[in-house]
Amino acid sequence: MELVSDVKLFSGQNSRYLAERIVDYYGQPLGDMSIERFSDGEFQANIKESVRGAYVFFIQSTFAPTENLMELLLMIDAAKRASAGYITAVIPYFGFARQDRKDKPRVAIGAKLVANLLMAAGANRIMTMDLHADQIQGFFDIPVDHLKSEGIFFEYLEDLDTSNLIFASPDVGSTKRARVYAQHFDCGLVICDKYRKKANEIAEMTVIGDVEGKDVILVDDIIDTAGTLCTAAQALIDKGARSVRAVCTHAVLSGPAYERLEKSVLTELVVSDTIPLKEKSEKIKVVSTAKLFSRAIRNTHEHRSISALFVEKRKSTYSK
């Protein structure tokens, strides 16, 4: 009989809120570890139980501050040096993913650098959700499980009246993502084309398509300062839309984001819990990714298909 290695699940400090939900679904407690800090701010990861030969999963999103990334790297290194059998970095939100190419001279490709760091630290596998650019998977020379959030959002949206829905992309880059929603609900698709003068500042927004009298749902992977989303929502209302909602996986929500959302014409913003909210807002609804990640972790350990968790298999997977 083949020996099945123990599974050990650990969490970084700032992702513990999500890790605790994941392990509740998984059915075992988080492993014992601590982050010890020195007086100058330096810190050290300390795993306080044996991980020799074990399947080890570290749950840590790499949102700001960058200490979260460094903490994850130190945890991976500690497990490698403790002879862990197989190390998976579970990164619900993969930070620096917007730096996936050289879009102007003399800039870093941050996503590739982070990939190199994770592999150098000793990760054998990466598990993440809704990368800003799918091609980031190719930055790694180890397996990458790229989970999709559509399943959890579809379940929420199906409770709405879908008879008058139309989906919209807040920019050209999100068109493919929005089309998946439009095809699932058998609805139309419109595109909001934005022109920027500089980062986080939109000069012009043009709506491509007819939204007259429609209930529009904007779809994107990241909402940061909320400038694009709020501007797109206003442009859609100006074009005759009856209402505008938004679905975004990663709620970065920095700078003036909360203020913009409150003042915007958006009826609702639906986000996942890959990043914790900094403030409460009646306009923001959070749906959890915990069940999806717990099943992905179990399938990885049991050498079962991860594609069974993708949206095309959603009816059999999410109803159990």
Side-chain angles (χ1 to χ4, degrees), residues 140-274:
F140 291 90
D141 295 324
I142 56 177
V144 177
D145 296 319
H146 187 203
L147 304 184
K148 300 291 186 177
S149 64
E150 283 92 340
I152 60 173
F153 287 133
F154 284 176
E155 287 188 352
Y156 179 81
L157 296 177
E158 281 169 354
D159 290 334
L160 303 176
D161 178 7
T162 60
S163 60
N164 195 45
L165 279 186
I166 190 169
F167 287 88
S169 167
D171 55 33
V172 175
S174 297
T175 303
K176 180 180 177 182
R177 193 181 310 274
R179 185 178 290 116
V180 172
Y181 284 74
Q183 290 175 340
H184 179 84
F185 287 95
D186 195 22
C187 297
L189 173 68
V190 301
I191 299 170
C192 298
D193 183 30
K194 69 182 178 184
Y195 165 68
R196 290 188 189 274
K197 285 186 175 178
K198 57 183 179 180
N200 292 330
E201 184 176 313
I202 298 168
E204 185 179 350
M205 181 75 72
T206 303
V207 176
I208 304 171
D210 182 17
V211 295
E212 184 71 35
K214 294 288 188 178
D215 296 312
V216 184
I217 298 181
L218 286 158
V219 180
D220 208 350
D221 63 321
I222 297 173
I223 175 170
D224 188 353
T225 62
T228 297
L229 215 64
C230 293
T231 303
Q234 186 62 58
L236 290 163
I237 290 293
D238 292 343
K239 287 289 186 178
R242 188 169 71 174
S243 69
V244 183
R245 283 183 169 87
V247 172
C248 298
T249 309
H250 306 299
V252 176
L253 295 176
S254 65
Y258 285 93
E259 182 181 354
R260 283 176 173 170
L261 286 171
E262 290 302 320
K263 293 179 178 179
S264 75
V265 297
L266 283 168
T267 303
E268 183 179 50
L269 169 64
V270 187
V271 299
S272 79
D273 57 355
T274 58

